[in-house]
Amino acid sequence: MKSKNIFLLLIALMAFVLFLLRDRFAHTPSKSAYEEQMDKVKIDPKTTSKSAVEITFPLLAEARPTDLIDMNLAFPESLEKLNGRKVRMIGFMAPFDSLEDMRRCMIVPSYVGCTFCSPPNLRQVVYVTQGGDDSSEKTYSFIEEPSHVVGTLRISLPESSHEGKKHGFVYSIEDAEVTVHTGEAPQRAPSHASPGAHNKDGSAESLSAIAPVDLIPQVAKLLGQKPLHPIIIQRVSAQEFGQLVWNDLKATFPKGSRDARTQAFNLLRLLPEGIDWLQILAGLELGRRAAISDENGTRVLVLDSVPIDHPFVRLELVGAIADGLLRQRFAKDGLNDWAEMEKNEDTRRARKSLRLGIKKTVIRRYAISKGISPKIPPPAEFEPSVRAIGRDSMFDRWYSLPAFLGPFFVDFLVGPTGPLEQMERAFKGPPRTMMEFLRPLWYENASLWKQDPVPSDFAERIMQSPPSLTDVLGVGGLIPWLAQPNSSYVARTIAGKWAGDRWAVWQFPDGSAALLLETRWQDEESAVRFRNAIPNHPYQWNFPHESGSSTVRVLRGSSSEALNRLDPFAP
């Protein structure tokens, strides 16, 4: 019982902390089936608990994010109508303070009783308070089975000041009465056959057998994209699998620019000293990959050491097929223009975000259709061929950002269940910056922001000698860079006013190096705020700020000698 209590408390705290990290979002969605249903509800101001309006977790999920910088939420009109009204819902209890007293608790859509399962979605946690101020002496018990909750709904709007908002929750139910639900019980979370069961060791029950090739039409239907070329699915050894990953990374980061890029990220302290660029990327890629598509999208490789019908492997295979179909489509539309992307890493990462966002959406939808968790652990037979290094580092945060932002962007454009055929506009006019994934409204309406890219020859206008390499860091690089001395919230807020940037690196014969970073911002105030937040470095010089300017330049060196070699004021 003690271990179960600890698990429950941990998962509740994880959900709460995760919510605080991502804050609140904003969006104005199109009218959904839930909204149409709720529009028909006639709300009586004198509604009692017996006639309280029923709300569901899918309805709560209709609140849609629109911006990952400002972190606000916009709610469907039908849901806002219920703010301050009596409602009822069914869910599972999770502790807020402790299991011993559930006066303050959380209600989530499925039982989550172990640290190996994913926390609920940010819009799927309801803060509940039982009893009024005069009932503080009473203790409320934990209910392990499905619970029926009746109380006053509070939505965390900008003008709200209720207790739930102060604790960082989107939804709250106040003065609640929580009882055991006696009707039809909702299903538990995927991988939880019972409150004490989970798949922490990867020994999940196998899915119904299916020929891998038969998954192709299923994935194509989910994706809304027919294969442009036949796809071959092969079981291969870990060595052959790893070689494909290495070849893909080598093509993405050619040797001619790899050393200079490594020097630049070393100077920015995004990449630890002595770490090989390809080695750390290969470790991050192979750490949880059991299936992969080749660059042409015509060949999907699956590790021959893992059971093909294990849920983790099935989802990996579904994702690889989706990736193959997308690679075919990208090639058709010219979205794999390496000549363009080699000059701008930010654009390349934007293309990657788009592809990964659609791929992960397909995986999630397939998992839901099969009743399995999208984050199910790999099978015991899965052993990465390369040891992962740098996981959870600033470099990992930089590299993994496209996989996080892509699904958010897709959800913004088509909604959680909308047809992926609606992504057609993104194929025809794809985002060119990572900023457009953080602020998709800026993607839809370019007049909302100032784009001020730094020209590729900027360094030659300032310095005496041409650099070894120049590229764009982008907001996706600035956020982890600024997060070194600042909080993630501060870093995200400052970087959210980005208008353009470019870095240049010089490599000297003695092995030393220097880097110049020029950034441009929406206005002078944003530029000054960024300048004041620049991480410290022992060999760094910030260019003086010019009144009225929205440009910030900083120069770094691996040593004082390297820094002096690039003195822009030297004769």
Side-chain angles (χ1 to χ4, degrees):
M1 179 65 182
K2 182 178 179 181
S3 62
K4 183 183 74 175
N5 292 350
I6 293 174
F7 282 150
L8 280 168
L9 184 56
L10 283 174
I11 197 64
L13 291 174
M14 285 171 61
F16 179 60
V17 171
L18 184 60
F19 176 83
L20 290 181
L21 287 175
R22 296 189 181 179
D23 305 304
R24 294 168 296 279
F25 305 85
H27 185 54
T28 304
S30 56
K31 181 160 286 191
S32 67
Y34 293 110
E35 289 182 276
E36 293 174 355
Q37 173 188 348
M38 296 306 298
D39 281 341
K40 298 176 182 178
V41 176
K42 303 299 183 181
I43 301 174
D44 183 351
K46 299 180 180 180
T47 301
T48 65
S49 60
K50 292 183 178 179
S51 60
V53 178
E54 182 177 6
I55 60 173
T56 63
F57 284 102
L59 173 62
L60 299 183
E62 286 291 312
R64 300 284 307 289
T66 185
D67 193 298
L68 292 181
I69 298 295
D70 294 335
M71 297 286 195
N72 296 320
L73 270 173
F75 303 90
E77 182 181 352
S78 58
L79 187 56
E80 286 200 48
K81 289 179 181 178
L82 300 179
N83 189 33
R85 305 291 186 176
K86 282 282 186 181
V87 298
R88 55 189 171 89
M89 69 182 308
I90 301 168
F92 289 85
M93 269 186 152
F96 180 76
D97 294 310
S98 71
L99 280 170
E100 283 66 38
D101 185 6
M102 300 294 285
R103 190 185 79 83
R104 300 194 301 180
C105 64
M106 296 178 288
I107 297 295
V108 294
S110 296
Y111 185 94
V112 282
C114 76
T115 56
F116 301 97
C117 296
S118 306
N121 181 281
L122 303 181
R123 292 154 284 163
Q124 300 285 278
V125 180
V126 180
Y127 177 71
V128 172
T129 55
Q130 300 187 73
D133 296 335
D134 57 348
S135 62
S136 57
E137 298 295 325
K138 182 177 179 180
T139 298
Y140 293 84
S141 301
F142 172 72
I143 299 174
E144 186 172 296
E145 298 306 312
S147 300
H148 183 260
V149 185
V150 178
T152 303
L153 176 68
R154 302 291 183 191
I155 300 175
S156 294
L157 301 170
E159 66 274 13
S160 302
S161 59
H162 55 82
E163 180 181 342
K165 182 179 180 181
K166 293 176 182 177
H167 287 300
F169 289 92
V170 175
Y171 302 110
S172 306
I173 295 181
E174 298 178 343
D175 299 325
E177 180 183 356
V178 184
T179 57
V180 175
H181 174 60
T182 57
E184 183 179 351
Q187 292 186 348
R188 299 188 184 277
S191 81
H192 277 274
S194 65
H198 50 65
N199 300 316
K200 66 179 181 179
D201 59 356
S203 57
E205 183 178 348
S206 295
L207 299 173
S208 300
I210 184 175
V213 69
D214 291 338
L215 285 172
I216 297 176
Q218 294 184 24
V219 175
K221 183 177 180 179
L222 283 171
L223 188 59
Q225 298 283 337
K226 294 182 179 179
L228 299 175
H229 308 285
I231 296 178
I232 299 174
I233 300 176
Q234 297 176 300
R235 302 296 298 271
V236 298
S237 66
Q239 181 179 1
E240 186 175 353
F241 188 87
Q243 190 60 52
L244 180 61
V245 172
W246 278 94
N247 292 341
D248 189 46
L249 291 173
K250 288 177 180 178
T252 304
F253 302 103
K255 182 171 178 54
S257 62
R258 199 182 308 145
D259 292 342
R261 195 176 300 277
T262 299
Q263 288 273 26
F265 274 63
N266 285 158
L267 288 168
L268 291 170
R269 292 185 170 174
L270 291 174
L271 181 67
E273 292 281 351
I275 300 294
D276 179 76
W277 183 275
L278 288 186
Q279 185 180 13
I280 189 172
L281 290 183
L284 294 173
E285 283 289 331
L286 292 170
R288 282 182 59 87
R289 302 288 292 275
I292 189 174
S293 167
D294 69 356
E295 63 178 346
N296 299 317
T298 57
R299 187 165 166 248
V300 169
L301 305 185
V302 187
L303 286 172
D304 61 8
S305 59
V306 296
I308 196 72
D309 294 319
H310 186 281
F312 172 86
V313 180
R314 174 72 63 82
L315 295 183
E316 278 286 290
L317 180 54
V318 165
I321 293 171
D323 193 44
L325 294 170
L326 289 167
R327 286 176 182 269
Q328 292 183 16
R329 176 63 191 270
F330 273 37
K332 172 180 176 290
D333 292 349
L335 299 182
N336 291 334
D337 185 357
W338 289 105
E340 175 191 7
M341 290 187 284
E342 282 181 358
K343 298 177 183 177
N344 190 330
E345 175 71 7
D346 195 39
T347 298
R348 188 193 69 80
R349 282 161 59 78
R351 297 286 197 275
K352 182 178 180 181
S353 294
L354 180 60
R355 201 181 81 238
L356 289 181
I358 301 173
K359 168 188 170 181
K360 286 183 170 290
T361 300
V362 170
I363 292 174
R364 179 177 59 82
R365 293 184 179 186
Y366 183 87
I368 291 172
S369 73
K370 298 298 180 182
I372 57 179
S373 169
K375 295 186 178 181
I376 193 165
E381 296 88 343
F382 177 74
E383 294 185 7
S385 58
V386 176
R387 182 175 64 90
I389 55 177
R391 193 169 296 281
D392 299 323
S393 65
M394 289 297 175
F395 186 84
D396 185 14
R397 292 171 67 176
W398 168 80
Y399 187 72
S400 60
L401 195 62
F404 171 73
L405 294 182
F408 163 72
F409 183 79
V410 174
D411 184 81
F412 172 86
L413 291 183
V414 306
T417 59
L420 291 177
E421 289 93 332
Q422 294 179 8
M423 291 299 297
E424 188 68 24
R425 54 175 163 161
F427 291 129
K428 296 185 181 302
R432 297 181 59 84
T433 68
M434 291 296 288
M435 178 63 83
E436 293 162 273
F437 285 85
L438 285 156
R439 293 188 183 273
L441 283 174
W442 288 12
Y443 163 72
E444 289 195 325
N445 185 357
S447 67
L448 294 176
W449 67 306
K450 177 181 71 174
Q451 300 182 59
D452 191 10
V454 179
S456 58
D457 63 347
F458 84 106
E460 299 175 30
R461 302 177 183 182
I462 303 172
M463 301 303 178
Q464 304 292 323
S465 58
S468 305
L469 182 68
T470 177
D471 208 334
V472 177
L473 188 61
V475 67
L478 286 172
I479 290 176
W481 187 55
L482 289 171
Q484 295 177 47
N486 305 288
S487 69
S488 295
Y489 172 77
V490 170
R492 188 180 66 241
T493 302
I494 294 174
K497 296 294 185 179
W498 175 91
D501 78 73
R502 187 170 283 272
W503 56 261
V505 66
W506 287 260
Q507 296 173 290
F508 304 117
D510 62 358
S512 62
L515 177 137
L516 172 66
L517 173 65
E518 178 174 319
T519 60
R520 299 180 180 181
W521 301 88
Q522 297 298 311
D523 49 50
E524 182 180 10
E525 181 183 354
S526 303
V528 171
R529 191 177 182 193
F530 167 75
R531 191 176 188 276
N532 293 335
I534 291 174
N536 292 324
H537 189 275
Y539 310 112
Q540 178 170 289
W541 185 73
N542 296 338
F543 285 61
H545 174 69
E546 299 178 7
S547 179
S549 173
S550 58
T551 296
V552 179
R553 298 190 185 101
V554 58
L555 187 63
R556 274 191 180 184
S558 58
S559 64
S560 58
E561 293 78 12
L563 193 63
N564 291 333
R565 287 181 179 181
L566 289 181
D567 184 355
F569 302 107

